[in-house]
Amino acid sequence: MAMRSGFLALAAVLALALAGCSDEEAELAEKAKQEQAELDKGVAAMNAGDFDAAIGVLRPLAEAGNTAAQNNLGWMYFNGKGVPENDAEGAKLFQQAAEKGQAAAQFNLGEAYEYGNGVPQDIEQALRWYRASAQQGWPEAEVNLGRMYDEGLGVGQNPLAALRLFHAAAADGQPQAMFNLGAMYGSGRGVPKNDPEALKWYRMAADRGFAEAQYTLGNFYEDGTGVMQDYAEAMRWYRLAAAQGHAGAQNNIGRFYADGLGVPMDEVKTLMWFTVALPGLRGEEAANAQTFRNEFASEMTRQQVMQAEELAMRCRDSDFMACD
């Protein structure tokens, strides 16, 4: 199942402004203006979390063929906001808008086909809709299409095409594209290996709040890769990523407290961070972390363990905002 945070792709519809037009054109312009005002109202309700109000505004617009309303209503069905979650209904709405050239809906439909959400999984269809959206300059579509070229997913592997698409999306401020450029320059994929250039792109993505880039910068400062080794700076980046739920960063914060790297050693905080990180870790990393956590806890008092578990619960309940 694809992550759903990327489905809120809102498209603005420009109202017609016709000077010196005929009565019929003036009537059309006024109708378009009213429709835009209704769309803005529906989008504002969505952004405010008032999904019932948004549904009441967007559904009539979508039924009348407004593509932005169809796209946003589709997102609400995909995420179960104001309506029961229904991927098939969401994909149908994306399809209606995508076929009329709506770039955000084309991107969303591409993701639906890539991951088989609401439609049968179909990489060729995913490529088709990502391309259509990317040709209109939709940054998220450029990122996904670039990823498919980079990985050779459904298309011949082409790092140069991926690089071009990532640069286009990065120019629009898309942090995933910036992170991907950092990875390509760092590995020399599609471009000569260039560590300073990689660091530049990672930092740009991290400064825009991209958790994986923040975690990567933490690794760089911890290891002294391309920068002076600085445990305090590493911890700063790990904390920023951890606040977004990045399990690797949370685990590393626990390790820093265990070893006294950039912070005073603290057994309770060590166990708290390992406990917070565990549900998000996978595979061998999770197994190793579980073993280490259990061994670490066995050497602590019962009171310390209970305190760490209480802090971990508070951290999770606060959405990682109240952790230290």
Side-chain angles (χ1 to χ4, degrees), residues 166-187:
F166 293 152
H167 269 292
D172 283 329
Q174 219 288 339
Q176 174 75 66
M178 295 170 184
F179 177 82
N180 292 352
L181 286 171
M184 295 191 79
Y185 280 105
S187 64

Side-chain angles (χ1 to χ4, degrees), residues 5 14 20 34 53 68 75 79 90 108 164 179 187 204 209 211 215 230 246 264 284-285 287 291-292 296 299:
S5 60
L14 298 178
Q34 292 174 1
W75 178 87
N79 291 274
N108 288 338
R164 176 181 59 79
F179 177 82
S187 64
M204 288 175 67
Y215 171 71
D230 187 333
H246 193 292
E284 185 177 350
E285 187 178 27
T291 299
F292 187 86
F296 195 87
E299 298 175 1

